[in-house]
């Protein structure tokens, strides 16, 4: 797929991977509808794109609010007669054990609201345009953490796996009508999101530029999945030998977190 002239809706484009993806997609000639809450940050990204001759429009929206999602989708549909792709990238991550979440069911509700329900709502709003056009692509951003049995991210991982499941259903129902989906399984990426976890300071991470390249690949080539080989191996192993893999991974993550904590304490 040539990206030149394609109109792409990109949520979570005011920082991190989404911001970088906006620049890379624009460099390839795509026209960007930038969606996030912080208007000033979105304007900063749009200005950087326009300075280089690209096209970008800013759609401030709190994706946690259904009414805000509806209004945002309406504004985009009104302004753009053709939409080629939607990238559901905005998300919130929570690193907290289930033990520490016993009185925090709202963690699960908030996470599923933004990471899953808002992405579904926006997709459902844009889908009629894709059906009318006979083409369209939805990229849903997930995490390598859903390819392994990882502790401390139960609310976040469940929300991402729900989104993966929705992607699969979309493909099953619409692929023959020219509407396709990609799930992107990022490993840890150095962004404001991952930087909120102090012990990750010394962990090796993917660069935001490389991660943005995965989104470009997803929009351009439209594969069903963009993942690291390690992630794919994790999925295969988990499907084939769930008990063995789950048992083997538990001490690995305890040791890793201890190593990262010790390293952080040393400065
Ligand atoms: N970083 C990692 O290690 C990592 C690993 C695996 C997967 N991922 C996934 O990669 C994607 C991008 O993450 P990132 O690391 O780039 O995160 P980030 O830098 O924290 O960016 C998150 C983006 O989502 C937007 N957002 C958050 N809440 C929103 C809301 N209620 N309404 C609208 N927009 C909202 C933020 O913009 P505003 O604050 O302006 O609203 C921001 O643009 C996410 O889906 C994340 O789950 C990240």
């Amino acid at each position: 797929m040539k990206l030149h002239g394609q109109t792409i809706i990109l949520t979570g484009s005011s920082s991190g991977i989404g911001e970088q993806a906006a620049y890379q997609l624009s460099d390839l000639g795509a026209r960007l509808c930038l969606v996030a809450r912080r208007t000033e940050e979105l304007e900063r990204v749009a200005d950087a794109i326009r300075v280089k001759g690209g096209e970008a429009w800013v759609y401030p929206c709190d994706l946690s609010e259904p009414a805000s999602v509806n209004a945002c989708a309406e504004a985009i549909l009104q302004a753009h007669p053709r939409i080629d792709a939607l990238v559901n990238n905005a998300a919130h991550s929570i690193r907290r054990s289930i033990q520490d979440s016993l009185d925090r069911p709202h963690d699960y509700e908030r996470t599923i609201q933004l990471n899953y329900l808002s992405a579904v709502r926006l997709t459902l709003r844009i889908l009629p345009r894709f059906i009318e056009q006979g083409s369209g692509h939805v990229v849903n951003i997930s995490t390598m953490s859903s390819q392994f049995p990882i502790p401390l991210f139960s609310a976040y991982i469940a929300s991402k796996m729900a989104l993966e499941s929705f992607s699969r259903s979309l493909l099953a129902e619409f692929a023959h009508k020219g509407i396709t989906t990609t799930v992107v399984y990022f490993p840890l990426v150095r962004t404001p999101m991952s930087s909120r976890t102090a012990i990750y300071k010394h962990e090796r991470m993917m660069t935001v530029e490389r991660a943005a390249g995965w989104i470009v690949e997803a929009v351009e080539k439209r594969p069903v999945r963009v993942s690291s080989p390690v992630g794919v191996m994790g999925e295969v192993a988990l499907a084939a030998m769930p008990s063995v893999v789950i048992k083997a991974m538990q001490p690995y993550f305890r040791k890793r977190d201890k190593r990262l904590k010790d390293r952080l304490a040393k400065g």
Side-chain angles (χ1 to χ4, degrees), residues 12 14-15 17 37-38 61-63 89 91 156 160 187 189 191:
S14 62
S15 85
I17 302 167
R37 287 168 302 183
R38 290 169 295 166
C61 170
D62 184 347
L63 291 164
N89 167 73
Y156 175 67
K160 292 294 191 181
V189 182
T191 68

Side-chain angles (χ1 to χ4, degrees), residues 219-236:
V219 179
E220 200 170 27
K221 300 186 180 153
R222 305 190 168 188
V224 171
R225 171 180 67 197
V226 179
S227 165
S228 67
V230 175
V232 175
M233 273 164 52
E235 279 186 298
V236 172

